[in-house]
Amino acid sequence: MPPAAPRGPLPIGRPAAGGCPSHPEDPPPPTPVRRGRLRRTVKIGGIAVPIWVPLAGLGLVTAAETGRIDGPHRELFFNIADFWVLYALLPLLVAVVVYGVARRARVWRIGRPDFHFDQPRVRLRRMLRGGAGTERVLRDPYAGVMHLCIMSSILVLFLVTALLAIDDYLPDDKVRILVGDRYLGYSLVGDLFGLIGLIGVGMAVAHRWVRPRTTWLPSTEDKLILGGLGLLLVTGFLLEGFRIQTSEIAEHRDWSYWSPVGFVVALAVGGVETAALLAAHKALWWFHMVLALSWIGLLGFTKLNHLALAPANAFLKSPGSSGKLPLIANIEEQEHFGVSQLEHFTQKQLFELDVCVRCGRCTDHCPADIAGQPLSPMHIIQDLKTYATDVGERKAGNLARGAPIDDGLDDAPVMVGEVIRDESLWACRTCGACVQECPVFIEHIPTIVDMRRSLVMEEARMPDTVQSTLETLERQGHPWRGTPHTRESWMDGLDVPRWTGEQEYLYFVGCTGALVDRVQPITRSVVRLLREAGVSFGVLAGQESCNGDPARRLGNEYLFQILAEGLIATLDGGGVKKIVTHCPHCFNTFKNEYPDLGGHYEVLHHSTLLERLVEEGRLRPKPGAAAQTVTFHDSCYLGRHNNLYEAPRNILKQIPNLTLVEMPRNRERGLCCGAGGGNMWMEEQGRARVNEVRVAEALDTGADSACTVCPFCVQMFEAGVGSVQMGTDESQRLGVFDVVELLDVALPEGEPAAEPPSGAAP
Amino acid sequence: MDAIVCVKQIPDPETPAAAFSVDEAAMRVVEAPGVSPVINPFDQQAVEAALRLREADGGAGTISVLSLGPDSARDAIKTGLAMGADEGYQLNDPAFEGGDAWTTALALAKAIEKIGLPDVLIFGRQAADLDQGTVGSIVAELLGLPSVTVLRSAELADGEIRVSRVVADGFESISTPTPAVLTISNEFGDPRYPQLRQIMQAARKQVTVWTPADLGLDPGEIGATGARVKMHALYQPRNETECEFIEADTAEEKAGLLAAKLREAKLV
């Protein structure tokens, strides 16, 4: 379990013992460390490469200059004989690392070989920016700086060492690199990065054991990696100091200034006898070298391997939207549905488990974890990794000797149910925060949904409310069991054009837009505004059916495909080319998932179209409404999964007398309302409800109302306001609106805001 | 343990009332498009009951699902097969159309005899469309079997079935010898959600279809001609509320007028 240390921007995320997290009378939260800096830190990532590449190259650049042969220099392998032993150890080191990696690779290979390399340029760019540039690591300034210190130190010191070896090989009478000004520069760079490395190690130690800032999973490998590196740097400085004291400081004190740390060490040991120092130097040198090689050996057995695996995983990560789930093709011919055994994962999914460095960022940003619910994406990955180490290696062994894969594994724990508990899988909102934050590019959502698929399609084991939702989807083609409405109820008294095949856009209302009381007025507002602006559109009305999104997120891929195929037949039969969706979830499914099933449409979310209409002057919001302050809540499936953050904000900015304020978690860092991943139809388990956490954040901005563009977020916010502000008079509570409703109010009926521009659709 | 479960396909009872209208002249319920036919929820619980009884009995035996209805009723049978039943039988012929509880029970009884009398015959307590709840009992009568209705639990023990019935003021525990007819109430518990593999296997399974001739039934005995219940009218009851304010100068006068009105309406 993570230590109960203060972390995260809100006390509601980690309340004091006994505190009621959602109580409105709780003291205001302390200003979070990261508040207000979220946007900027994201951009630092891009400049990571320019920062360390030149620094690392400094040593080499100085070497490229011409220098005096007789200038400052030092004896290579000073005081050391038999250093060839080192070269003898090298093959051993390589063998150890290769053995370590090969052992893991054996486990990866029990998975399905399902690799994709489409859009290689996107992948390559991500590998460079995210892998080498550590773009995502830098999103957290503390951890970013810490990581940059350690990483640059290791890289530069590696180059420094390599340069020394190269210089050693060159014939001394012809070329010497490390001499003169070059040597002095080299020495300074080495000392500087040794120091930077120690700062990084210090920050890492503080981050882990002194004052943990994030969810932290203690482990031996961290002690080995950090302890080893720290010791390596310290002994390096000691060696340098001993050498300077015994061979340099007396005659060439001015050279020694260029090794500042070594110089300080030299002064400190000034009183020690030379012979003793030389003996200590020799012993320490061997210790340092063996330690260095052993530390590199950790590459094969610890998360240190992320320095190679993370860039590789950045390349392997799907280049498309994180909102897209992988298709189970030819589902009727599958032997199993989803993942209940390690070997059902793809090789990439198994590989990913080993890439995880347990940094805990996924969990820190997970809405379920923030609300104290039973899900931590990091623990899912780590628990699977442990399972893959134990059971996976035995399975790989069975395969290697041609035995059945499960031979002798009767005693192994059940992966889905015991190792990964059902409630953790169900608590996932598929909001994508973990996937977006992960600095090593793990895709948690497909892994979690794959296990859900197994629960639903293989085991038929799910919460009652999920079962009821799936049954309703099967029977009625929508998830809203017990709705008193038909798909045409919302149209009563409103002249809504029906789809004829002649119009430009199909306005896809969706189940929630049509069948939920609170959302029907929003749908009507969209229709009124589209008509007002003279947009050519129609609706399918009673012919509409669910596009399958809830079934898919809930793990019933089969039902999703049935619903999607049915709807694609309707859409294609009606000659639909452009779709405006009411709901971000429909938007995501049409845009990212339907192409896999042969449904190709131009898809817009209603906020994008309305933004365009406002921009073109076809809708001109009028002043008149009282001044109001609103905060905007990003829908995960519009924002994080599809990168649409500005359209709704731009609409709001065009409404007179309206001030837009942001919650600390906004845009890419927006917190899910709690409904995603089918949780709209589940009972939440845990300390708080996600929507209550989010409503508390909206209240903290001091806004009069919160608005969004998703029919699920609207419902979750309304429910959240009801419970967080239970004691507040209803007129004083936070208002909850769709952006469309605010725009609608700003455009009084019967006053066309503008002449339809010429060329506008009829 | 062998069982036959009789199921009926009905318009989805979750459909909002607004989706239905009544054609009073034709004495017919008119459904809006998009109302899907589903297995009667009580019958789905009957399948669940059969599966649980068999599981408790060691898992051996055949569970058959039997339905009288048009082509679409095959889906109701498939639902039962997907849940875990083994065989499906459908009584499908235009001659069956327009029947009542009696003709339905008659045809089902013949079919049950043809399949072979099992240890238990299981029905839902009633169909959620017309809510008559009589077919099970009539089949029991026709086959000369004991019948226990509206069950919330049942278990096989020593060749007997011990059941708990839902009655107005509590539960009634009784036992009956086999073979017997059981009708299952919603208190029995939620039916299981089928595994995808079972759904696919069920989709491939053949359903045996029988016509009146296969059952040795004369077309005159069944369908509209054989029906014993004749419908005279079909209409939607109207709910009307009228609100009247009693106006008078004093509270006493108002009370007096109110009392007079109530007496007039024979309420006091």
Side-chain angles (χ1 to χ4, degrees), chain A residues 90-108:
Chain A
L90 277 179
L92 184 68
L93 173 66
V94 172
V96 162
V97 173
V98 167
Y99 168 75
V101 175
R103 222 174 53 139
R104 299 308 301 179
R106 226 163 63 119
V107 176
W108 307 335

Side-chain angles (χ1 to χ4, degrees), chain A residues 645-657:
Chain A
Y645 300 107
E646 300 309 323
R649 288 183 169 83
N650 289 341
I651 297 174
L652 290 172
K653 284 174 192 160
Q654 292 302 317
I655 298 178
N657 294 336

Side-chain angles (χ1 to χ4, degrees), chain A residues 457-458 460 475-476 556, chain B residues 12 14 36 44 193 195-196:
Chain A
M457 294 189 286
E458 292 266 333
R475 289 175 186 176
Q476 292 161 280
N556 197 332
Chain B
D12 189 346
E14 296 277 341
S36 43
Q44 206 174 349
Y193 191 79
Q195 297 169 2
L196 182 51

Side-chain angles (χ1 to χ4, degrees), chain A residues 427-439:
Chain A
C428 175
R429 268 59 179 194
T430 68
C431 74
C434 51
V435 176
Q436 177 191 258
E437 293 303 322
C438 180

Side-chain angles (χ1 to χ4, degrees), chain A residues 433-508:
Chain A
C434 51
V435 176
Q436 177 191 258
E437 293 303 322
C438 180
V440 296
F441 298 90
I442 291 170
E443 296 176 278
H444 309 70
I445 299 177
T447 294
I448 289 175
V449 173
D450 272 344
M451 289 187 279
R452 270 192 191 179
R453 284 173 169 174
S454 152
L455 282 181
V456 171
M457 294 189 286
E458 292 266 333
E459 309 273 330
R461 192 170 85 218
M462 67 202 89
D464 290 346
T465 52
V466 170
Q467 178 170 336
S468 147
T469 303
L470 289 174
E471 284 168 351
T472 307
L473 275 167
E474 265 167 48
R475 289 175 186 176
Q476 292 161 280
H478 68 72
W480 294 108
R481 183 171 199 168
T483 176
H485 303 292
T486 68
R487 285 195 188 265
E488 301 192 1
S489 306
W490 67 273
M491 297 161 67
D492 281 349
L494 191 69
D495 185 12
V496 187
R498 286 171 189 259
W499 179 253
T500 60
E502 305 298 314
Q503 299 104 327
E504 182 178 6
Y505 294 106
L506 170 74
Y507 173 42
F508 191 85

